[in-house]
Amino acid sequence: MNGEANESSSPARFRFLGPLEFFDGGQWSSIGAPKQRALLAVLLINANRVVSADQLMAELWGERPPPSAAGLLAGYVWRLRNGLGDPGGRMLGTRAPGYRLVLPAGATDVDEYEKLVTAGRKSLAEGDLPAAAAALTEGLGMWRGTPMADVAMVPSVLAESARLEEARLAVVEARIEAEIGLGGHETLLPELKLMVSQFPLRERLHAQLMVALYRSGQQAEALGAYRDLRGLLVEELGVEPSKPLRELQGRILRDDPLLMETPRRATAVPRSAVPRTLPPDVPALIGRERELDWITTRLASGEQRCAVHGMAGTGKTALAVHAAHRMTRSFPDGQVYLGLGASAARGPTSPVDAVGRLLAALGVPAADIPPEEERAGALLRTVLADRRMILVLDDVADSAQIRHLLPTAPGCAVILTSRPASTAVDGAGLLRLGRLPATAATALIRRYAGAARVDTDLAATVRLAGLCDHLPLALRVAATRLARRPEWTVGEFASRLTDPGRRLEQLTCDGLSVHAALRAGVRLLRHSADPLPTRVLGRLGVLDLPVVSTAVLAAALDIPVASAESAAERLVDAGLIETLRMDRYRVPGLVRLFALGEYVTADEERTATHRVLGYYEGAVRDQLSRLAANRGAGLAWYREECLTLRALAARAPGTELPGLVSRLSSALR
């Protein structure tokens, strides 16, 4: 943003570290018309510079503006001036060959944010870590979401949003550096691990994670973090880690005592510091407006708890973090994120460790945290008693894990995420997250891969979304891969995903992996000693049916229906399938591919297929014999099962099933 001296006495201020808004001296307001919002955004990005009418028309309408574009643009400018309370054009002036928005220094939230960041970096360079952490934390707290989140992604907006997001990541790294210097290494571990998974090639984040782990007494884990990064760099880029990172590994191997030292000026975090450990907000949360409104409305009304549950890859964490960012002003005493690792390879965090990590995040010195769960829980309730804070407890294992984490203070609130529905809230506080609607799935791909490519072949985009099961994780991975390969067309990538042997392998990018998310669900199954749910998962891969009933599962495994239902419900709780009603389940195509590749042998495939074919042959014969007595019941059964019957009949041409299905269809017709 250019800070040229102003020519206007207008009090208007603007903020676009989130939805685009202006302050007219009385309240913050938005511009209702999308084209006017986009126009204002472009002018703000180029504040105090003349933007030609030709550039503005290209921004608003692309390479082929309509013949009436010049007149429409003039009308938008006129309405924008009136909306901003500037009818005379003193702030938004006409200057050949276009228009100029004149703003004084400090008129936007970006100006204020960058001023705080500059001060924070200066303090960091001078070794004043408390001042650096305070300034950088305050600056990051100004973010309300994706920059210009409600503005169409015209070229200038896309470029500026990308610039701000990239710069923000560097500011987060600087804040983490200051807080590590202040001795906050243990508190930072959850955030660092999450950020490393989101940005796996950022060496500075890896270095910070290694130092934090080492200072927390986890030397082996620190070295493991280095090995993970080196493996990724060698595999993806064919390069070794940088020299500073290699030197850091050597210092950890040598147990260098200097790694444990902190600067003399960094003696303690100020008591007034407000904890803000939420991960960075997602670049775009598409198709979840209703769910977001449900969470924010519930918390704004004074309710203290809400829980988001659902299948793997539906975006539970992203929704919870975005909602917490949205509620920052309602909880001024802090916003804290805590990952509890229910589906992590190392297993879930123990209840006592969870309480200790939360107390550390709230600034309680490690020496003051009791080792007993009950006493630590009591201390946590005391610390939270007079605060207004929001907690995000992510990937919860069960209610026992969080029984001491749930705040009782009236000013605090908590958002839980888990694959099974939580018992820590009543039914009114539960939100199940499912697949995205088709239009939202397409919009998500459009947001990440680019509008031009998607609009060129919308049919291929719809096909790609279907191959991703409309799951946000898979959609984001696919769209990100397209964005990184501008030479690929959407149709070409969709064709690649149609190969069932390659689909899961292709849906991995930047630390995000559909296969890893599904494997995490299997780890949840293995927390109990019962092998039946894993066997049922294998049968779902064999059957390759989008919808199955408990009766079919029972036939496929030759077990009682009650046992099949119990195992299927375990799969629901692990986030691998969805329940449609009490005895029917939806099985995503990606889960079927995963199960087929991991848990099926050739003998099992033949046996299970034979049993299910026998089941449906008997079921169709039974319906044929009853048609004369109750045609309506037969028609209802056929409508519910017809897709499954047709799929099985097509795969078993040499059996009786195709003929039986044809007879039933004809009789009902």
Side-chain angles (χ1 to χ4, degrees):
M1 298 287 296
N2 195 341
E4 183 181 313
N6 79 87
E7 300 174 8
S8 171
S9 60
S10 169
R13 292 162 51 208
F14 300 88
R15 58 184 186 184
F16 50 95
L17 293 175
L20 180 58
E21 296 176 337
F22 73 96
F23 188 74
D24 59 9
Q27 63 180 1
W28 287 102
S29 305
S30 60
I31 301 296
K35 289 287 189 188
Q36 290 180 52
R37 274 202 307 275
L39 172 62
L40 176 59
V42 175
L43 292 169
L44 278 169
I45 291 166
N46 296 279
N48 299 312
R49 294 194 294 263
V50 175
V51 186
S52 71
D54 287 342
Q55 179 185 340
L56 289 171
M57 288 188 287
E59 296 269 6
L60 297 179
W61 288 285
E63 296 179 357
R64 296 182 179 179
S68 58
L72 290 171
L73 176 61
Y76 293 151
V77 170
W78 178 80
R79 284 190 285 273
L80 188 55
R81 284 172 176 157
N82 289 329
L84 296 175
D86 181 40
R90 297 188 63 193
M91 178 172 56
L92 175 48
T94 302
R95 297 288 187 276
Y99 302 92
R100 179 171 64 164
L101 183 66
V102 180
L103 294 180
T108 73
D109 59 350
V110 173
D111 293 338
E112 296 178 42
Y113 163 70
E114 292 181 341
K115 182 179 178 181
L116 286 166
V117 169
T118 300
R121 290 189 186 280
K122 182 174 182 293
S123 296
L124 188 61
E126 294 172 349
D128 188 352
L129 301 188
L136 295 172
T137 298
E138 184 179 354
L140 290 167
M142 296 180 66
W143 284 66
R144 298 170 294 113
T146 304
M148 297 166 283
D150 56 346
V151 180
M153 287 292 105
V154 301
S156 290
V157 171
L158 188 61
E160 180 68 1
S161 179
R163 181 190 76 81
L164 289 168
E165 292 278 9
E166 179 66 22
R168 181 191 189 215
L169 184 55
V171 176
V172 171
E173 291 172 336
R175 191 214 83 221
I176 290 173
E177 181 179 335
E179 292 187 353
I180 287 177
L182 288 165
H185 40 272
E186 290 190 2
T187 302
L188 289 166
L189 279 175
E191 179 183 5
L192 275 169
K193 290 178 180 179
L194 181 66
M195 292 195 68
V196 162
S197 71
Q198 292 176 330
F199 306 99
L201 299 179
R202 299 280 295 201
E203 292 199 9
R204 188 179 183 188
L205 285 173
H206 278 273
Q208 291 170 334
L209 175 61
M210 290 165 65
V211 171
L213 287 167
Y214 181 77
R215 289 189 177 184
S216 301
Q218 303 179 53
Q219 182 186 32
E221 289 80 358
L223 294 170
Y226 176 84
R227 285 195 301 272
D228 291 344
L229 174 63
R230 182 183 181 277
L232 185 64
L233 289 174
V234 171
E235 180 181 345
E236 293 285 332
L237 304 177
V239 299
E240 292 287 338
S242 64
K243 183 179 178 181
L245 209 64
R246 297 198 302 272
E247 291 175 347
L248 175 59
Q249 181 215 19
R251 294 177 67 189
I252 293 173
L253 283 168
R254 296 192 304 272
D255 263 338
D256 185 347
L258 293 178
L259 281 176
M260 298 299 294
E261 291 188 4
T262 58
R264 282 179 296 174
R265 297 185 66 181
T267 55
V269 179
R271 291 184 62 84
S272 60
V274 174
R276 301 185 190 276
T277 67
L278 292 178
D281 205 356
V282 290
L285 191 70
I286 294 172
R288 299 300 192 198
E289 292 79 10
R290 181 184 63 82
E291 292 87 350
L292 180 63
D293 286 344
W294 182 87
I295 294 175
T296 55
T297 300
R298 180 176 174 82
L299 297 183
S301 67
E303 295 288 347
Q304 286 190 283
R305 304 176 187 178
C306 58
V308 183
H309 66 101
M311 288 183 57
T314 52
K316 299 179 290 295
T317 301
L319 174 63
V321 169
H322 187 73
H325 276 289
R326 180 74 66 88
M327 298 297 293
T328 296
R329 294 194 175 192
S330 299
F331 299 96
D333 294 329
Q335 307 86 42
V336 176
Y337 170 91
L338 192 63
L340 295 173
S343 56
R346 64 183 181 278
T349 303
S350 69
V352 66
D353 286 346
V355 180
R357 285 171 54 195
L358 187 50
L359 283 168
L362 297 175
V364 178
D368 295 340
I369 299 176
E372 300 87 2
E373 183 183 346
E374 294 290 339
R375 290 179 58 209
L379 176 60
L380 177 62
R381 290 189 290 275
T382 302
V383 170
L384 293 176
D386 58 351
R387 300 193 188 186
R388 291 187 58 79
M389 299 186 66
I390 186 167
L391 312 179
V392 175
L393 304 181
D394 188 30
D395 200 16
V396 174
D398 52 38
S399 59
Q401 185 188 35
I402 60 172
R403 64 177 176 269
H404 291 298
L405 298 180
L406 299 174
T408 57
C412 294
V414 61
I415 306 174
L416 313 172
T417 78
S418 59
R419 295 197 181 190
S422 175
T423 59
V425 300
D426 58 32
L430 289 174
L431 174 68
R432 186 178 73 87
L433 214 56
R435 300 182 300 164
L436 287 177
T439 52
T442 304
L444 193 152
I445 296 175
R446 194 175 192 269
R447 168 64 174 79
Y448 282 96
R453 297 169 76 187
V454 166
D455 294 345
T456 299
D457 195 348
L458 191 56
T461 305
V462 172
R463 188 166 73 254
L464 177 62
L467 290 166
C468 293
D469 281 322
H470 294 175
L471 289 172
L473 173 62
L475 293 164
R476 183 176 174 186
V477 171
T480 302
R481 293 205 65 191
L482 281 170
R484 292 186 170 193
R485 295 291 184 269
E487 303 82 8
W488 297 358
T489 68
V490 179
E492 288 170 341
F493 189 50
S495 296
R496 180 175 290 183
L497 292 190
T498 56
D499 180 354
R502 302 185 66 187
R503 193 178 310 165
L504 286 171
E505 157 204 323
Q506 293 293 317
L507 292 176
T508 300
C509 180
D510 236 6
L512 300 175
S513 168
V514 174
H515 188 278
L518 298 177
R519 182 168 288 281
V522 175
R523 284 196 291 270
L524 289 174
L525 294 177
R526 290 175 177 167
H527 288 169
S528 76
D530 185 5
L532 185 57
T534 307
R535 288 183 61 209
V536 170
L537 180 62
R539 292 300 186 272
L540 294 175
V542 170
L543 298 177
D544 193 21
L545 298 172
V547 176
V548 296
S549 66
T550 50
V552 169
L553 288 176
L557 286 113
D558 194 22
I559 58 175
V561 171
S563 299
E565 181 178 0
S566 175
E569 287 297 311
R570 288 285 312 283
L571 292 175
V572 172
D573 287 341
L576 295 169
I577 64 176
E578 285 182 305
T579 181
L580 297 177
R581 69 176 200 214
M582 190 166 286
D583 62 345
R584 294 180 75 81
Y585 300 88
R586 192 186 73 81
V587 189
L590 294 170
V591 173
R592 303 195 307 264
L593 288 177
F594 171 77
L596 188 61
E598 299 273 334
Y599 300 104
V600 177
T601 66
D603 288 342
E604 289 174 328
E605 187 170 358
R606 284 191 295 270
T607 302
T609 302
H610 178 74
R611 286 174 177 163
V612 171
L613 285 172
Y615 167 82
Y616 271 110
E617 285 170 353
V620 175
R621 289 194 191 96
D622 186 51
Q623 292 298 327
L624 284 168
S625 68
R626 298 181 181 183
L627 278 185
N630 194 338
R631 181 182 178 82
L635 183 59
W637 183 87
Y638 180 74
R639 283 174 175 167
E640 191 169 65
E641 299 282 3
C642 66
L643 293 179
T644 298
L645 290 170
R646 290 173 182 172
L648 288 172
R651 282 151 46 185
T655 67
E656 290 185 62
L657 187 61
L660 289 168
V661 171
S662 179
R663 282 177 54 198
L664 180 59
S665 174
S666 298
L668 291 171
R669 198 178 303 126

